[in-house]
Amino acid sequence: MAQYIITNEPEEVDFECDNDEVARTLQNAKNLLMTRMGEVPYDRLRGFDHALFHLPLDKMRAALLPEIDRVMLWEPDVTVISATAVPNENGEILIRVIVEIGFEE
Amino acid sequence: MAQIASWNGHTFEVSPQLIRSIRDLTLKGSCEIEEKTSGGQQYAQRKNGKAAEISFTVELSALLGVTDVRSEALDYVNEANEGVSEYFYLGTQKLVAAKMMLTSAEVTEYVCMPGNADEWISCDVKLTFKQADNGGKNGSKGKGKGKKKKSNRSRNGITKSLGEITTVYMAAANAIPEAGKNGSTNKLPHGTAGSQAANLFSKNTIQLRNSNTKKNPTTGRGMSGSMGVKLKLTR
């Protein structure tokens, strides 16, 4: 199965996605990663828990994959393979997630 | 890093405050085979893969920081009884890509306080996990309704082998602007470009339908799916 990479870097939202379900599912997964937990008023558990950003880096890395698995419950077509967190030159944490997409039919 | 592994909220770690370590970690993968004979020579043929197994022993000790040894040990036993499934993380990665179901928890080497059997000092818990159903993503649906069919998709959309059908299909979609938007499964009416395509490629059927609605994991209610049309070929 093909694997794809999504990150928490901001990008333009493609509303059309050329009717490509794979691209749309990847974008759904990225949107979930970019959503902050508590931001959605009718679904307060949806999104990434930003409390992880306040943990020491080694503890954050230990807690990252379970949190990404929880976040991707909202996109069941996506299976999380691995997740890494790396600080960039500005001190921001860049999260990189490798996912597989499998459609249930 | 203090944490060695985790499963369903149970963390196995070695830190200045707590030592809850694991030992004898075993990961097993196997398959079911069928013995056949060909030309006077026996050979093995794979029938299907067996569930992956993980087993290890957890050492629980009040002397090493575990606050309630008895309740932690009984939690494992109850979870084994209920067949709880969760991902097993070793380090920062999943050891097996699928969820692991706790199938057995054996409590041994029980040590209690002198004169008070209710207060546990230490025990060992041997845990055995087996690969659980991943909700249809491991090749078959959980309820045994058949194998998952993977559509032949690519990032560029429909692949080349369906190029001609794509052209006619898009013309049909233009001819029926409401198709796929009303939430119901529609078949192309007779006389449209799409049905003509269906006649040309008589072995294939073309259906227009919405993407499946998915359930919100928090509320259990359906979430609005995408409103795009989906091409499905059946042969």
Side-chain angles (χ1 to χ4, degrees):
Chain A
M1 225 185 279
Q3 294 187 348
Y4 305 94
I5 296 173
I6 56 172
T7 67
N8 63 339
E9 286 174 308
E11 275 175 24
E12 249 185 54
V13 175
D14 182 0
F15 291 101
E16 299 297 327
C17 284
D18 293 326
N19 282 333
D20 183 356
E21 272 207 53
V22 171
R24 186 166 46 230
T25 306
L26 274 177
Q27 188 162 250
N28 291 346
K30 186 182 171 76
N31 287 341
L32 282 168
L33 186 61
M34 302 289 287
T35 302
R36 183 179 186 140
M37 190 172 85
E39 169 189 328
V40 182
Y42 54 83
D43 198 355
R44 297 288 184 184
L45 293 176
R46 187 189 304 195
F48 188 80
D49 185 0
H50 278 222
L52 264 69
F53 289 124
H54 302 290
L55 293 174
L57 195 56
D58 54 347
K59 289 194 175 170
M60 190 223 176
R61 283 173 174 153
L64 181 64
L65 190 53
E67 175 62 14
I68 302 285
D69 277 327
R70 186 194 70 80
V71 167
M72 292 305 162
L73 286 175
W74 274 262
E75 180 48 86
D77 291 334
V78 165
T79 305
V80 180
I81 303 300
S82 72
T84 55
V86 176
N88 65 8
E89 59 272 8
N90 298 328
E92 298 159 341
I93 303 288
L94 174 66
I95 296 173
R96 206 162 164 268
V97 183
I98 298 176
V99 299
E100 273 180 4
I101 295 179
F103 296 98
E104 293 180 32
E105 297 187 20
Chain B
M1 192 167 48
Q3 185 172 304
I4 305 169
S6 70
W7 178 84
N8 194 36
H10 298 281
T11 56
F12 309 105
E13 59 187 275
V14 176
S15 67
Q17 294 79 33
L18 169 66
I19 296 177
R20 188 193 287 118
S21 60
I22 62 174
R23 65 165 200 268
D24 303 330
L25 174 70
T26 310
L27 171 61
K28 181 181 169 188
S30 59
C31 67
E32 209 174 302
I33 58 167
E34 200 177 349
E35 287 200 4
K36 293 191 169 180
T37 310
S38 168
Q41 174 66 47
Q42 264 197 349
Y43 63 94
Q45 192 175 64
R46 181 184 181 274
K47 272 173 75 177
N48 41 43
K50 287 187 181 174
E53 278 183 40
I54 296 175
S55 63
F56 56 84
T57 303
V58 186
E59 297 167 341
L60 300 173
S61 172
L63 303 174
L64 297 175
V66 178
T67 48
D68 194 340
V69 173
R70 181 178 186 273
S71 101
E72 280 198 34
L74 292 181
D75 278 347
Y76 287 120
V77 172
N78 291 333
E79 284 165 359
N81 197 26
E82 288 164 13
V84 174
S85 297
E86 241 326 314
Y87 290 109
F88 180 75
Y89 301 95
L90 190 64
T92 58
Q93 298 194 13
K94 295 176 197 169
L95 186 56
V96 174
K99 287 191 177 179
M100 301 303 292
M101 179 190 290
L102 180 60
T103 56
S104 154
E106 293 176 42
V107 180
T108 56
E109 308 294 326
Y110 152 76
V111 175
C112 67
M113 283 285 284
N116 183 5
D118 289 335
E119 198 151 343
W120 296 30
I121 293 183
S122 69
C123 69
D124 287 351
V125 187
K126 183 169 184 221
L127 303 175
T128 308
F129 301 84
K130 283 198 173 173
Q131 181 176 351
D133 179 31
N134 233 7
K137 290 179 192 171
N138 54 359
S140 61
K141 292 216 173 210
K143 292 185 180 178
K145 285 187 181 175
K147 289 186 180 176
K148 177 184 76 168
K149 289 180 187 174
K150 291 181 194 174
S151 297
N152 194 7
R153 292 186 177 87
S154 70
R155 286 191 65 88
N156 297 327
I158 310 295
T159 58
K160 285 182 184 174
S161 62
L162 305 175
E164 289 183 64
I165 298 175
T166 305
T167 308
V168 179
Y169 169 77
M170 291 309 293
N174 290 336
I176 312 169
E178 295 304 315
K181 292 181 185 175
N182 60 4
S184 62
T185 301
N186 294 319
K187 288 196 176 176
L188 293 172
H190 293 295
T192 60
S195 69
Q196 289 166 3
N199 291 333
L200 285 172
F201 304 92
S202 57
K203 290 184 183 176
N204 304 326
T205 60
I206 301 175
Q207 267 189 338
L208 294 176
R209 60 186 171 94
N210 271 4
S211 302
N212 294 327
T213 56
K214 301 178 183 71
K215 285 192 176 175
N216 183 321
T218 305
T219 61
R221 292 197 293 262
M223 299 192 296
S224 57
S226 58
M227 299 304 277
V229 295
K230 189 185 217 176
L231 174 67
K232 179 177 179 179
L233 286 188
T234 57
R235 292 183 187 271

